[in-house]
Amino acid sequence: MDCFKRWVAGALLSVMAGHVAYAGDIVVAVPNPSAILLLPIVAAQGEGYFAEEGVNVSIEALNGSGAVIQALASGQAQIGNPGAGPLLLARDRGVEITNIYRLNPLSSFAIVVPEGAGIASAEGLRGKTIGVGTADGSETAFARSILNEAGLQEGTDYTFLVVGDGGQAAAGFLRGDIDAYAAATNDAAILNARGVKLENITPAKYKTFFGNALAAMNSYLGENRKDVEGFGRAVVKGAKWAADPANREALLAHIGAENPQEVEDKAFANALIDQIIIRQTPFDPAKGHGYQDHEAWVAWQDSLVASGELAKPLDDLSAVYTNDFINFWNGK
């Protein structure tokens, strides 16, 4: 998977050419370089499903959900993979962005502490330093909501420290820079693999908060419906194909084509894939892949209001997401 520098170069070339993308071209901006987190998209790419639908998809890794939303708002990407928290905050600022596909129905985030640390709940983090991947990432908003509910205030009762993802977080624990970490699924897997054994102290109610999804600007959705339909139909095909154990070796090959480092440790890659498939399986298969429940958005909004990140609920929460494409994508 190409890094941020190649994305910037491509964006500059696009601007110089006087356009963002040709019809059928879709840049998918993602908040980190993991291909395993994008199993349906990577599978659809590798199996040729996007080509069958007449769209040309490229994946570009940025640094956090904030950067993804900026790329969408500037027209330098057509579809993005931001978290719910940053998306709601962007809508509150007037950014016309809409969630179109709930990629991770189960939470992708957790607050973790080292085994034996003697911290059993969020209340135990008083006076502690909590590591995060990025200052404006979904995991940060997720952790802040939990800590606020526990009666802890940022800057007074605890401190966030940006330490980066996965391996960088492991170093933070080993140096004693952090006491806990707001981890995404892949971060926790990497930490465990590097010898930092963890305990999950996330309250039960937060474990069902859905993770990063797929979103696009309203203007793009209105002007490019055919491309969006083709993209989503290919993604659903990819999700179903990736979940079939018979396709695992081919799936690993597709992941390796996007990010070779992720399949160097095959056992670890398989373990992480298993966890991601669980998190990306619909709660209710009858509603189809990508379906979004209003109640889940209410839970996210309530947590952001409680933490003070949102001053008040949005005027129309139902406008931040759409299920308009779901039936078509799922062949109904």
Side-chain angles (χ1 to χ4, degrees):
M1 186 177 294
D2 293 327
C3 65
F4 179 65
K5 289 183 179 179
R6 193 168 79 81
W7 176 83
V8 171
L12 289 173
L13 287 173
S14 178
V15 171
M16 291 171 65
H19 61 80
V20 172
Y22 292 109
D25 285 350
I26 297 175
V27 174
V28 181
V30 299
N32 66 66
S34 173
I36 293 179
L37 299 184
L38 303 171
L39 288 184
I41 296 175
V42 171
Q45 187 82 300
E47 288 298 298
Y49 297 150
F50 288 130
E52 290 174 3
E53 296 293 341
V55 292
N56 176 37
V57 173
S58 60
I59 304 168
E60 303 293 352
L62 306 182
N63 186 24
S65 291
V68 168
I69 292 172
Q70 289 175 6
L72 293 173
S74 67
Q76 293 171 336
Q78 287 65 55
I79 291 175
N81 181 221
L87 186 141
L88 285 168
L89 295 175
R91 287 293 302 226
D92 188 51
R93 297 193 302 270
V95 179
E96 293 296 317
I97 183 175
T98 297
N99 241 50
I100 59 176
Y101 185 109
R102 191 165 65 175
L103 184 61
N104 296 283
L106 282 172
S107 176
S108 296
F109 307 113
I111 297 181
V112 295
V113 298
E115 283 186 354
I119 301 172
S121 66
E123 290 84 350
L125 294 174
R126 186 178 300 275
K128 305 297 186 182
T129 299
I130 299 133
V132 294
T134 60
D136 61 355
S138 296
E139 76 284 359
T140 309
F142 178 82
R144 186 179 287 115
S145 296
I146 293 172
L147 294 162
N148 181 77
E149 187 174 272
L152 277 62
Q153 296 298 314
E154 183 180 358
T156 300
D157 300 312
Y158 69 90
T159 303
F160 279 137
L161 178 65
V162 177
V163 295
D165 297 329
Q168 294 167 297
F173 274 124
L174 294 172
R175 289 194 304 263
D177 295 339
I178 58 176
D179 304 291
Y181 186 64
T185 303
N186 60 318
D187 296 320
I190 292 169
L191 285 163
N192 277 314
R194 297 196 177 185
V196 183
K197 301 305 179 184
L198 303 169
E199 295 178 3
N200 186 343
I201 63 168
T202 307
K205 64 176 282 189
Y206 284 90
K207 291 180 180 179
T208 56
F209 275 44
F210 63 92
N212 287 36
L214 299 178
M217 298 299 293
N218 291 356
S219 56
Y220 178 77
L221 295 174
E223 297 167 5
N224 299 274
R225 186 176 183 92
K226 183 177 178 182
D227 289 348
V228 176
E229 288 177 343
F231 173 84
R233 186 155 57 183
V235 168
V236 171
K237 289 180 185 177
K240 294 177 178 178
W241 182 89
D244 186 344
N247 298 324
R248 181 57 61 90
E249 287 302 316
L251 178 60
L252 286 165
H254 296 329
I255 292 168
E258 287 290 337
N259 189 337
Q261 290 183 331
E262 283 197 294
V263 294
E264 289 177 355
D265 184 337
K266 197 170 181 180
F268 174 77
N270 274 308
L272 183 54
I273 289 169
D274 290 340
Q275 291 300 310
I276 296 301
I277 288 174
I278 291 171
R279 282 159 176 74
Q280 295 184 349
T281 299
F283 284 130
D284 183 353
K287 293 180 179 178
H289 285 76
Y291 183 84
Q292 303 183 70
D293 296 290
H294 185 72
E295 293 77 11
W297 279 103
V298 171
W300 260 113
Q301 177 175 257
D302 287 350
S303 73
L304 293 175
V305 172
S307 70
E309 292 186 81
L310 276 177
K312 62 181 180 61
L314 301 181
D315 292 336
D316 183 9
L317 182 60
S318 64
V320 309
Y321 69 93
T322 181
N323 286 315
D324 189 35
F325 300 95
I326 298 299
N327 285 344
F328 181 84
W329 287 344
N330 286 273
K332 298 181 179 181

